[in-house]
Amino acid sequence: MTDLASRLAEVDARIADAAHSAGRDPSDLTRIVVTKFHPAQLVTDLAALGVRDVGENRQQELTAKREALRQAQVPGLDGVRWHFIGQLQTKKARAVRAASDVVHSVDRDRLADALHAADPGGDPLDVFVQVNLTEDPARGGAAPDEVERLAEHIAQACPSLRVRGVMAVAPLTDAPAAAFERLARSAAAVRRVVPDATWMSAGMSGDFAEAIAAGATHLRIGTAITGPRPEHG
Ligand SMILES: *Cc1c(COP(=O)(O)O)cnc(C)c1O
């Protein structure tokens, strides 16, 4: 077994343990492998190991990797779903819509409007409303008291987007369990306007067990599976 295969298997075993401890079925969880800063080849290697969901946080890198892999005609990549998990400038919405299957970081009306306008009649795009669990507005995400209104805006004004739930990154300063409890409250607020928005994107390499305990459905795991990220500019 390669190092990558053994790290993947080990993380999956830890995910299953955390799910069982929380009384949840591991098959209800989507494990997204975050491939940012790694070469496109890593996605090929992961797909060969059966990985179906990968995450990227920068538009140029996402677009370049998808194009490189399309040109290489790597078998098995058609079934891979690309999740965009990073902060997103409105002017890059069109490129992100073209290159991703799910966007986790919708945090304001204008961004939702731009994602919708990029392909108003296209296949619906699954989106999460990102929630800022910190006091720092630069961290990305809508303030918790804005989340319900934003979900309502997307549901009413952006028919090509499908609100599936909420996403957050735990703040460095808080215990992750407490932060994820607050996220679960935002999830409930979104469900008041979109009752079938049952997804919750939370949990990274260091805190996925706490996220699973708090109800996460989509885990975004990088370094615990990929190893350290290469330096980037
Ligand atoms: C990089 C990143 C992750 C993965 O982080 P790891 O600590 O490497 O698991 C998850 N979510 C977001 C938004 C990220 O940018």
Side-chain angles (χ1 to χ4, degrees):
M1 235 209 262
T2 62
D3 288 351
L4 182 64
S6 59
R7 284 191 303 259
L8 181 67
E10 192 206 308
V11 167
D12 283 349
R14 288 168 56 202
I15 291 171
D17 282 349
H20 290 134
S21 311
R24 301 184 59 199
D25 182 345
S27 69
D28 292 340
L29 304 175
T30 300
R31 177 256 295 122
I32 300 160
V33 182
V34 178
T35 49
K36 66 187 184 195
F37 311 147
H38 289 280
Q41 177 64 38
L42 178 63
V43 178
T44 305
D45 297 343
L46 288 165
L49 295 171
V51 167
R52 285 272 148 287
D53 293 272
V54 297
E56 288 287 335
N57 75 334
R58 294 191 299 189
Q59 177 267 318
Q60 292 94 324
E61 191 177 339
L62 167 72
T63 302
K65 281 183 193 173
R66 283 206 84 165
E67 182 57 18
L69 293 171
R70 191 185 64 76
Q71 285 188 7
Q73 297 188 317
V74 181
L77 283 181
D78 285 353
V80 170
R81 278 187 301 262
W82 293 78
H83 297 254
F84 188 80
I85 63 173
Q87 285 189 49
L88 179 50
Q89 294 171 272
T90 302
K91 66 179 181 194
K92 296 185 172 164
R94 181 169 298 273
V96 164
R97 175 124 195 208
S100 49
D101 302 294
V102 187
V103 175
H104 291 233
S105 46
V106 178
D107 61 0
R108 57 200 190 277
D109 291 6
R110 278 190 61 229
L111 177 57
D113 295 343
L115 285 166
H116 170 60
D119 195 5
D123 288 340
L125 176 72
D126 287 328
V127 300
F128 291 85
V129 172
Q130 184 178 351
V131 184
N132 187 348
L133 298 175
T134 76
E135 302 290 318
D136 175 5
R139 292 294 299 270
D145 63 2
E146 270 288 299
V147 165
E148 185 171 340
R149 195 207 53 73
L150 175 56
E152 193 159 28
H153 172 81
I154 302 169
Q156 289 177 357
C158 307
S160 73
L161 307 186
R162 202 169 159 206
V163 178
R164 304 305 304 256
V166 293
M167 174 275 208
V169 177
L172 300 168
T173 48
D174 257 346
F180 294 141
E181 287 307 324
R182 288 189 279 134
L183 181 62
R185 287 202 286 277
S186 287
V190 168
R191 284 196 301 274
R192 283 198 285 274
V193 287
V194 185
D196 65 351
T198 53
W199 294 0
M200 180 168 148
S201 168
M204 311 183 4
S205 291
D207 58 19
F208 64 81
E210 289 90 340
I212 291 168
T217 60
H218 289 65
L219 316 168
R220 309 178 310 269
I221 304 180
T223 48
I225 294 172
T226 64
R229 285 185 275 274
E231 291 298 314
H232 62 100

